[in-house]
Amino acid sequence: MSADNIFAGAGVAYLAPYGTDLPTTAAETLDVAFVSLGEISESGLASALAVSKAMVRNWAGDVVRTLVTSTEFTYTLEFLEESDAVVGLYHGATVASVHAQTEPSVVAGSSSVEVGSPDDSPMAMVIDVLDTGTDRLKRFVIPKAEITERAGQT
């Protein structure tokens, strides 16, 4: 075992409209269309891969070939920050409709959320994970991400 193969880090996720230019390297600066969703919580990033296969059999019933019929990557994220972008994404409010209050009677940093219907249209997503011990960056580039589930909030 080598400690160099252990990746322990902190992460940030970014969203942009589907079709936005994607980075091709971990070091490349993100397109200005990407909006930071803030830091991901300690238990907040999990990934899964589901692969479906079909077996092609010959006349005798022997498997002569296996074909991949579909693949699905699933990323589950839990955000540490309740940034305007995260609150807007969760509640179906556009980022523009989540705004800081400017009235003197309201504490600075307060916000008002105009809840709507979530827009789960495809979008581009980048998840950057920084290894806190070595500053190595692991970048997940998801050209077409869709929100399929929203967990409850506490």
Side-chain angles (χ1 to χ4, degrees), residues 56-65:
V56 178
R57 299 179 184 273
N58 64 12
W59 193 0
D62 298 325
V63 175
V64 294
R65 189 170 175 197

Side-chain angles (χ1 to χ4, degrees), residues 105-131:
S105 62
V106 177
V107 176
S110 298
S111 61
S112 173
V113 180
E114 297 172 20
V115 177
S117 295
D119 178 6
D120 292 339
S121 300
M123 59 197 89
M125 178 178 261
V126 171
I127 303 169
D128 282 344
V129 181
L130 182 66
D131 183 48

Side-chain angles (χ1 to χ4, degrees), residues 51-74:
V51 179
S52 296
K53 298 179 181 182
M55 291 182 238
V56 178
R57 299 179 184 273
N58 64 12
W59 193 0
D62 298 325
V63 175
V64 294
R65 189 170 175 197
T66 302
L67 304 173
V68 174
T69 58
S70 68
T71 58
E72 179 178 85
F73 289 92
T74 304

Side-chain angles (χ1 to χ4, degrees), residues 7-9 129-138:
F7 203 92
V129 181
L130 182 66
D131 183 48
T132 53
T134 64
D135 288 339
R136 291 180 298 167
L137 178 65
K138 185 182 292 186

